[in-house]
């Protein structure tokens, strides 16, 4: 199941908090956070339920403020208004099985979903039937579908390190890259973040950040993506550096996070 938390920490809040995801439940919930000189969590509210024999594949923010998109098996993809916990739109998958959670791509309100049959589908939030979805076939196992709200493109990130940048409707390939993953390594984390304004007029810059791990440490990967729908896109050659966590022998990398608007990483 999935629980998300909307939060704002007041000036007197002194305690940190964390959110966790556990697979033992089959519902997506929203917990309201109240701050009155401190941090206090209210009772979670269930906004989606997969039912007996079903499961929550994942959840993402959007489209638009105050909405979340839930991917459920076998029910399909559903958009919920968080404030009222009501389903505003839904699509049955018509025999398809999701391999990854649906992602919201670009500002136009398109949803992108990777399916177990090695097909990726994209459709508009205004479509009433998923039969109108555009389809792209892939020739490998996907690790993640990476999007960023201000990027009018979607990155398909494969388990073997391949990256395919596509238009949000999946009908145009905009660029490719290959992360030369060392033998025996696997990816631990991947995300897309808005980096900084690019040099081209009207262009924006984005950073694909990934962490791979092996028995003897980890590797940080960065792929810079620049461009726009009007001016075209450029996918730079991947850069990598070995990660050496501080501390005693046996320390390992758990995750990575990119700071929006910069190339600073944590």
């Amino acid at each position: 199941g999935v629980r998300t938390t909307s939060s704002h920490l007041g000036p007197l809040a002194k305690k940190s908090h964390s959110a966790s995801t556990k697979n033992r439940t089959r519902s997506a919930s929203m917990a309201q956070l109240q701050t009155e000189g401190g941090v206090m969590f209210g009772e979670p509210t269930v906004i989606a339920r997969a039912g007996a024999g079903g499961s929550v594949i994942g959840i993402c923010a959007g489209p638009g403020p105050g909405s979340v998109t839930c991917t459920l098996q076998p029910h399909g993809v559903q958009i919920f208004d968080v404030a009222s916990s009501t389903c505003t739109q839904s699509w049955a998958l018509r025999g398809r099985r999701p391999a990854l959670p649906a992602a919201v791509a670009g500002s136009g309100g398109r949803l992108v979903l990777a399916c177990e049959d090695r097909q990726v589908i994209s459709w508009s939030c205004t479509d009433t039937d998923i039969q109108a979805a555009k389809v792209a076939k892939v020739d490998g196992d996907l690790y993640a579908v990476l999007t960023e709200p201000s990027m009018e493109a979607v990155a398909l990130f494969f388990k073997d390190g391949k990256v395919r940048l596509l238009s949000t409707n999946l009908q145009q390939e905009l660029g490719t890259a290959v992360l030369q993953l060392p033998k025996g390594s696997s990816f631990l984390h991947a995300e897309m973040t808005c980096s900084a304004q690019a040099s081209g007029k009207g262009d924006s810059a984005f950073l694909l950040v990934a962490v791979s791990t092996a028995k003897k440490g980890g590797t940080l990967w960065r792929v810079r993506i620049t461009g726009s729908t009007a001016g075209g896109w450029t996918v730079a050659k991947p850069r990598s550096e070995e990660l050496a966590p501080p501390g005693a022998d046996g320390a390992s990398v758990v995750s990575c996070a990119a700071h929006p608007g910069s190339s600073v990483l944590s």
Side-chain angles (χ1 to χ4, degrees):
V2 180
R3 294 178 186 270
T4 60
T5 303
S6 174
S7 64
H8 174 73
L9 299 184
L12 298 181
K14 296 182 180 180
K15 296 183 179 181
S16 62
H17 68 280
S18 63
S20 63
T21 300
K22 296 183 179 180
N23 294 325
R24 287 192 288 267
T25 61
R26 291 189 171 92
S27 63
S29 305
M30 171 61 71
Q32 299 298 324
L33 176 67
Q34 303 173 355
T35 57
E36 297 179 359
V39 178
M40 181 177 69
F41 288 94
E43 289 297 320
T45 300
V46 176
I47 60 173
R49 193 181 298 278
S55 61
V56 178
I57 304 300
I59 190 170
C60 71
S67 296
V68 293
T69 298
C70 298
T71 305
L72 308 173
Q73 183 65 258
H75 302 304
V77 178
Q78 300 177 340
I79 297 177
F80 289 87
D81 176 75
V82 172
S84 62
S85 300
T86 57
C87 178
T88 58
Q89 289 170 291
S90 64
W91 298 268
L93 295 181
R94 298 183 178 275
R96 298 180 184 271
R97 294 182 63 88
L100 296 168
V104 179
S107 60
R110 292 195 72 86
L111 295 172
V112 179
L113 177 69
C115 302
E116 289 185 353
D117 58 0
R118 288 195 172 183
Q119 290 189 344
V120 183
I121 59 176
S122 170
W123 70 99
S124 172
C125 292
T126 60
D127 292 338
T128 57
D129 196 303
I130 209 167
Q131 284 186 319
K134 302 294 184 181
V135 180
K137 295 183 178 181
V138 297
D139 57 359
D141 295 327
L142 279 168
Y143 177 79
V145 175
L146 302 177
T147 60
E148 205 282 334
S150 62
M151 186 174 75
E152 301 301 326
V154 56
L156 304 183
F157 188 49
F158 293 81
K159 292 181 180 180
D160 63 0
K162 290 184 297 186
V163 179
R164 291 181 62 191
L165 187 70
L166 303 177
S167 57
T168 56
N169 65 1
L170 308 178
Q171 300 305 290
Q172 183 180 2
E173 188 160 288
L174 308 174
T176 61
V178 178
L179 282 60
Q180 299 294 340
L181 195 65
K183 186 177 180 180
S185 298
S186 60
F187 287 107
L188 172 70
H189 177 82
E191 68 175 292
M192 184 74 71
T193 183
C194 182
S195 179
Q197 191 71 21
S199 57
K201 185 177 180 181
D203 287 355
S204 296
F206 304 91
L207 197 65
L208 188 161
V209 180
V211 173
S212 63
T213 58
K215 291 183 178 180
K216 296 183 178 180
T219 304
L220 170 66
W221 303 87
R222 287 177 285 190
V223 181
R224 183 175 171 84
I225 299 171
T226 57
S228 65
T229 302
W233 295 86
T234 300
V235 180
K237 183 179 179 180
R239 298 172 57 190
S240 65
E241 58 186 270
E242 296 302 311
L243 295 175
D249 292 341
S252 61
V253 179
V254 175
S255 188
C256 171
H259 296 242
S262 72
S263 58
V264 178
L265 307 173
S266 297

